[in-house]
Amino acid sequence: MTEDQRRSRKRKRGRSHKIKKTAVASPDGGAATKSLPVSASSNKSSSKSSFLDKMRARLSGGHFRMINEKLYTCTGDEALDYFKEDPALFNVYHAGYQEQMSHWPEQPNDIIIKWIKGHIPSLVVADFGCGDARLARSVKNKVFSIDLVSNDPSVIACDMSNTPLETSSIDVAVFCLSLMGINFPNYLKEAHRVLKPHGWLLIAEVKSRFDPTTGGADPNKFVKAICELGFTCQSKDFSNKMFLLFYFKKKEKLNARKLIEWPELKPCLYKRR
Ligand code: SAH
């Protein structure tokens, strides 16, 4: 073989690397085999997959918002039945929830974790509506993680208005964005039952639920109702753009029983992104 022939063979081999056989749909719907330069075919397939990814994200976003709305407009035991029927919905919910949270500049869970780390580790914590139980994984304390579905043996699956926790056994009860059910006062009554006297009740809730100018509750009425349940308000932090924080302590003695006027907490409906 001459030097020229060798060079020409090499050029052809090089060109054939840049050509790829690929199946594309022909205009009549049948599959045809065409040769496309790699750059064109990969552009096409990557734009197709990014389109599919967008559609999938849109569908799961819509599914998340539907489950979210359901949880904010039913009672805790209805929510428990809802997830019992189809536990996979819980994962759809939490994938959407994490996506929403990723847009928040600060996570209320982190502030609560920091608060717990700033206290003695012997405090026993109950995380009501724990989600993925990140709180329990982040602190040294004994934590009872409670949610409607348990994907982890350490999580107690139940409606949090009726937990298996012992009366007066808990030092810190946490509700981080979890007062979802329309019967949320029952969750707080359950927290009151399981807390020791002087035990802490920490609540983080979405700010818009407490904006009276847009149909939200008056935060002072919320605090008053919780105090009537048998707590004293230690502090409030309204400095965050996305959520409010409330810190209560359980009173030593029970209040004389009277009918508590609970404000309604409107659902937190997340934006389409
Ligand atoms: N606290 C977690 C998760 C918040 S999402 C965090 O901050 O990341 C709210 C959680 O509350 C969801 O996992 C939901 O399943 C749970 N939840 C709502 N109502 C509940 C109920 N009645 N009993 C138990 N968990 C409940």
Side-chain angles (χ1 to χ4, degrees):
M1 200 188 295
T2 67
E3 186 57 28
D4 274 356
Q5 278 170 328
R6 247 200 308 276
R7 275 206 206 106
S8 153
R9 272 187 151 192
K10 209 171 168 186
R11 270 201 303 273
K12 275 187 195 148
R13 261 207 311 273
R15 266 209 302 273
S16 74
H17 278 304
K18 291 181 194 137
I19 306 284
K20 191 179 151 193
K21 296 258 184 214
T22 175
V24 291
S26 69
D28 63 4
T33 304
K34 259 191 177 177
S35 292
L36 288 175
V38 159
S39 57
S41 87
S42 64
N43 269 351
K44 212 169 179 175
S45 70
S46 75
S47 73
K48 195 173 159 195
S49 68
S50 76
F51 171 75
L52 283 176
D53 287 346
K54 261 190 210 150
M55 292 313 284
R56 268 188 216 111
R58 214 173 257 186
L59 272 176
S60 67
H63 206 171
F64 158 71
R65 282 190 299 278
M66 193 196 81
I67 303 167
N68 183 62
E69 188 168 344
K70 166 80 187 164
L71 296 178
Y72 275 114
T73 51
C74 71
T75 60
D77 51 357
E78 282 166 350
L80 188 64
D81 288 344
Y82 179 68
F83 281 136
K84 260 188 196 156
E85 255 175 49
D86 189 353
L89 292 181
F90 189 75
N91 298 337
V92 176
Y93 177 77
H94 273 283
Y97 176 80
Q98 294 305 339
E99 211 285 316
Q100 289 289 335
M101 282 297 122
S102 69
H103 299 281
W104 287 28
E106 202 172 10
Q107 308 263 326
N109 222 346
D110 286 332
I111 297 185
I112 290 173
I113 288 167
K114 205 165 154 196
W115 186 96
I116 294 172
K117 283 182 170 170
H119 289 75
I120 44 168
S122 58
L123 295 183
V124 180
V125 179
D127 186 7
F128 286 81
C130 64
D132 62 2
R134 191 161 69 83
L135 191 155
R137 292 197 302 279
S138 310
V139 298
K140 290 191 185 130
N141 307 54
K142 163 85 190 146
V143 179
F144 291 97
S145 301
I146 296 158
D147 211 301
L148 294 163
V149 173
S150 168
N151 284 331
D152 179 317
S154 70
V155 174
I156 304 169
C158 65
D159 167 22
M160 59 193 174
S161 57
N162 185 17
T163 71
L165 302 180
E166 277 176 34
T167 300
S168 302
S169 61
I170 301 293
D171 297 294
V172 187
V174 173
F175 290 86
C176 186
L177 308 187
S178 57
L179 293 178
M180 301 182 87
I182 51 175
N183 62 331
F184 75 88
N186 294 350
Y187 310 155
L188 297 171
K189 284 178 199 160
E190 179 66 354
H192 185 270
R193 178 186 73 78
V194 302
L195 276 170
K196 297 175 186 169
H198 307 294
W200 286 93
L201 168 66
L202 311 187
I203 301 176
E205 260 311 326
V206 180
K207 199 165 204 164
S208 61
R209 303 186 83 193
F210 292 95
D211 180 359
T213 63
T214 57
D218 176 347
N220 294 323
K221 286 193 180 151
F222 179 70
V223 168
K224 185 169 175 267
I226 294 180
C227 291
E228 284 175 2
L229 182 62
F231 291 92
T232 51
C233 185
Q234 301 295 307
S235 64
K236 296 176 278 191
D237 179 356
F238 294 178
S239 64
N240 196 283
K241 217 175 98 191
M242 308 303 277
F243 54 86
L244 308 184
L245 281 158
F246 303 90
Y247 301 80
F248 297 92
K249 260 189 156 186
K250 183 177 168 175
K251 283 186 194 159
E252 172 100 55
K253 291 208 179 91
L254 257 186
N255 285 4
R257 280 280 168 224
K258 66 172 190 177
L259 201 66
I260 302 174
E261 251 187 68
W262 290 96
E264 202 180 303
L265 289 187
K266 68 171 185 168
C268 160
L269 303 178
Y270 291 94
K271 274 195 233 157
R272 255 183 80 165
R273 291 187 190 271

mmCIF file of all heavy atoms in Angstrom, residues 208-227:
data_model
loop_
_atom_site.group_PDB
_atom_site.id
_atom_site.type_symbol
_atom_site.label_atom_id
_atom_site.label_comp_id
_atom_site.label_asym_id
_atom_site.label_seq_id
_atom_site.Cartn_x
_atom_site.Cartn_y
_atom_site.Cartn_z
ATOM 1 N N SER A 208 -47.511 32.659 55.218
ATOM 2 C CA SER A 208 -48.765 33.091 54.562
ATOM 3 C C SER A 208 -50.005 32.589 55.302
ATOM 4 O O SER A 208 -51.073 33.172 55.185
ATOM 5 C CB SER A 208 -48.794 32.594 53.121
ATOM 6 O OG SER A 208 -48.745 31.185 53.117
ATOM 7 N N ARG A 209 -49.851 31.516 56.086
ATOM 8 C CA ARG A 209 -51.010 30.996 56.844
ATOM 9 C C ARG A 209 -51.371 31.949 57.988
ATOM 10 O O ARG A 209 -52.423 31.830 58.596
ATOM 11 C CB ARG A 209 -50.704 29.605 57.422
ATOM 12 C CG ARG A 209 -50.302 28.575 56.393
ATOM 13 C CD ARG A 209 -50.146 27.198 56.997
ATOM 14 N NE ARG A 209 -51.413 26.510 57.117
ATOM 15 C CZ ARG A 209 -51.609 25.408 57.825
ATOM 16 N NH1 ARG A 209 -50.610 24.884 58.498
ATOM 17 N NH2 ARG A 209 -52.797 24.838 57.875
ATOM 18 N N PHE A 210 -50.445 32.864 58.297
ATOM 19 C CA PHE A 210 -50.675 33.817 59.398
ATOM 20 C C PHE A 210 -50.685 35.256 58.898
ATOM 21 O O PHE A 210 -50.255 36.152 59.596
ATOM 22 C CB PHE A 210 -49.589 33.643 60.462
ATOM 23 C CG PHE A 210 -49.684 32.331 61.188
ATOM 24 C CD1 PHE A 210 -48.940 31.240 60.796
ATOM 25 C CD2 PHE A 210 -50.562 32.188 62.265
ATOM 26 C CE1 PHE A 210 -49.050 30.028 61.448
ATOM 27 C CE2 PHE A 210 -50.677 30.980 62.916
ATOM 28 C CZ PHE A 210 -49.920 29.892 62.510
ATOM 29 N N ASP A 211 -51.158 35.421 57.670
ATOM 30 C CA ASP A 211 -51.229 36.782 57.153
ATOM 31 C C ASP A 211 -52.704 37.186 57.052
ATOM 32 O O ASP A 211 -53.383 36.824 56.079
ATOM 33 C CB ASP A 211 -50.539 36.849 55.780
ATOM 34 C CG ASP A 211 -50.592 38.251 55.182
ATOM 35 O OD1 ASP A 211 -51.185 39.149 55.834
ATOM 36 O OD2 ASP A 211 -50.058 38.438 54.072
ATOM 37 N N PRO A 212 -53.221 37.909 58.071
ATOM 38 C CA PRO A 212 -54.654 38.231 58.076
ATOM 39 C C PRO A 212 -55.080 39.048 56.852
ATOM 40 O O PRO A 212 -56.245 39.006 56.467
ATOM 41 C CB PRO A 212 -54.857 39.037 59.362
ATOM 42 C CG PRO A 212 -53.662 38.734 60.202
ATOM 43 C CD PRO A 212 -52.546 38.437 59.253
ATOM 44 N N THR A 213 -54.138 39.722 56.192
ATOM 45 C CA THR A 213 -54.536 40.525 55.020
ATOM 46 C C THR A 213 -54.872 39.647 53.808
ATOM 47 O O THR A 213 -55.469 40.105 52.853
ATOM 48 C CB THR A 213 -53.423 41.531 54.606
ATOM 49 O OG1 THR A 213 -52.279 40.771 54.212
ATOM 50 C CG2 THR A 213 -53.063 42.484 55.726
ATOM 51 N N THR A 214 -54.475 38.368 53.863
ATOM 52 C CA THR A 214 -54.804 37.472 52.737
ATOM 53 C C THR A 214 -55.604 36.257 53.228
ATOM 54 O O THR A 214 -55.470 35.156 52.692
ATOM 55 C CB THR A 214 -53.529 36.992 52.013
ATOM 56 O OG1 THR A 214 -52.695 36.335 52.993
ATOM 57 C CG2 THR A 214 -52.767 38.105 51.366
ATOM 58 N N GLY A 215 -56.374 36.491 54.296
ATOM 59 C CA GLY A 215 -57.242 35.402 54.786
ATOM 60 C C GLY A 215 -56.547 34.465 55.754
ATOM 61 O O GLY A 215 -57.102 33.433 56.136
ATOM 62 N N GLY A 216 -55.323 34.805 56.131
ATOM 63 C CA GLY A 216 -54.596 33.971 57.095
ATOM 64 C C GLY A 216 -55.049 34.260 58.522
ATOM 65 O O GLY A 216 -55.800 35.202 58.781
ATOM 66 N N ALA A 217 -54.562 33.435 59.453
ATOM 67 C CA ALA A 217 -54.959 33.584 60.856
ATOM 68 C C ALA A 217 -54.184 34.723 61.523
ATOM 69 O O ALA A 217 -53.087 35.077 61.079
ATOM 70 C CB ALA A 217 -54.672 32.285 61.590
ATOM 71 N N ASP A 218 -54.768 35.244 62.585
ATOM 72 C CA ASP A 218 -54.064 36.235 63.391
ATOM 73 C C ASP A 218 -53.104 35.462 64.311
ATOM 74 O O ASP A 218 -53.558 34.639 65.123
ATOM 75 C CB ASP A 218 -55.116 37.010 64.206
ATOM 76 C CG ASP A 218 -54.484 38.012 65.146
ATOM 77 O OD1 ASP A 218 -53.255 37.944 65.361
ATOM 78 O OD2 ASP A 218 -55.245 38.842 65.678
ATOM 79 N N PRO A 219 -51.793 35.686 64.200
ATOM 80 C CA PRO A 219 -50.860 34.899 65.026
ATOM 81 C C PRO A 219 -51.118 35.062 66.532
ATOM 82 O O PRO A 219 -50.869 34.132 67.304
ATOM 83 C CB PRO A 219 -49.485 35.427 64.635
ATOM 84 C CG PRO A 219 -49.702 36.626 63.795
ATOM 85 C CD PRO A 219 -51.100 36.608 63.290
ATOM 86 N N ASN A 220 -51.644 36.225 66.926
ATOM 87 C CA ASN A 220 -51.907 36.424 68.358
ATOM 88 C C ASN A 220 -53.028 35.506 68.840
ATOM 89 O O ASN A 220 -53.004 35.007 69.972
ATOM 90 C CB ASN A 220 -52.281 37.884 68.646
ATOM 91 C CG ASN A 220 -51.101 38.785 68.366
ATOM 92 O OD1 ASN A 220 -49.950 38.413 68.634
ATOM 93 N ND2 ASN A 220 -51.371 39.953 67.787
ATOM 94 N N LYS A 221 -54.026 35.281 67.969
ATOM 95 C CA LYS A 221 -55.119 34.371 68.338
ATOM 96 C C LYS A 221 -54.615 32.933 68.433
ATOM 97 O O LYS A 221 -55.054 32.156 69.276
ATOM 98 C CB LYS A 221 -56.264 34.463 67.312
ATOM 99 C CG LYS A 221 -57.058 35.746 67.444
ATOM 100 C CD LYS A 221 -58.342 35.682 66.659
ATOM 101 C CE LYS A 221 -59.100 37.004 66.831
ATOM 102 N NZ LYS A 221 -59.917 37.315 65.671
ATOM 103 N N PHE A 222 -53.680 32.616 67.557
ATOM 104 C CA PHE A 222 -53.083 31.271 67.562
ATOM 105 C C PHE A 222 -52.325 31.066 68.890
ATOM 106 O O PHE A 222 -52.509 30.062 69.579
ATOM 107 C CB PHE A 222 -52.153 31.165 66.358
ATOM 108 C CG PHE A 222 -51.430 29.863 66.208
ATOM 109 C CD1 PHE A 222 -52.106 28.702 65.852
ATOM 110 C CD2 PHE A 222 -50.054 29.791 66.387
ATOM 111 C CE1 PHE A 222 -51.438 27.498 65.688
ATOM 112 C CE2 PHE A 222 -49.375 28.593 66.225
ATOM 113 C CZ PHE A 222 -50.061 27.456 65.874
ATOM 114 N N VAL A 223 -51.533 32.066 69.250
ATOM 115 C CA VAL A 223 -50.758 31.987 70.492
ATOM 116 C C VAL A 223 -51.708 31.901 71.693
ATOM 117 O O VAL A 223 -51.512 31.082 72.603
ATOM 118 C CB VAL A 223 -49.809 33.212 70.613
ATOM 119 C CG1 VAL A 223 -49.207 33.307 72.005
ATOM 120 C CG2 VAL A 223 -48.712 33.135 69.561
ATOM 121 N N LYS A 224 -52.770 32.700 71.668
ATOM 122 C CA LYS A 224 -53.723 32.721 72.789
ATOM 123 C C LYS A 224 -54.359 31.338 72.969
ATOM 124 O O LYS A 224 -54.462 30.824 74.093
ATOM 125 C CB LYS A 224 -54.799 33.788 72.502
ATOM 126 C CG LYS A 224 -55.781 34.014 73.625
ATOM 127 C CD LYS A 224 -56.621 35.271 73.352
ATOM 128 C CE LYS A 224 -57.690 35.440 74.414
ATOM 129 N NZ LYS A 224 -58.959 34.842 74.042
ATOM 130 N N ALA A 225 -54.752 30.721 71.839
ATOM 131 C CA ALA A 225 -55.395 29.406 71.913
ATOM 132 C C ALA A 225 -54.426 28.376 72.510
ATOM 133 O O ALA A 225 -54.820 27.559 73.356
ATOM 134 C CB ALA A 225 -55.852 28.973 70.520
ATOM 135 N N ILE A 226 -53.168 28.427 72.095
ATOM 136 C CA ILE A 226 -52.190 27.450 72.612
ATOM 137 C C ILE A 226 -51.936 27.693 74.110
ATOM 138 O O ILE A 226 -51.794 26.745 74.888
ATOM 139 C CB ILE A 226 -50.889 27.488 71.778
ATOM 140 C CG1 ILE A 226 -51.224 26.997 70.355
ATOM 141 C CG2 ILE A 226 -49.806 26.624 72.394
ATOM 142 C CD1 ILE A 226 -50.073 26.974 69.392
ATOM 143 N N CYS A 227 -51.942 28.964 74.508
ATOM 144 C CA CYS A 227 -51.760 29.267 75.933
ATOM 145 C C CYS A 227 -52.950 28.728 76.729
ATOM 146 O O CYS A 227 -52.783 28.196 77.832
ATOM 147 C CB CYS A 227 -51.581 30.768 76.153
ATOM 148 S SG CYS A 227 -49.992 31.327 75.493
#
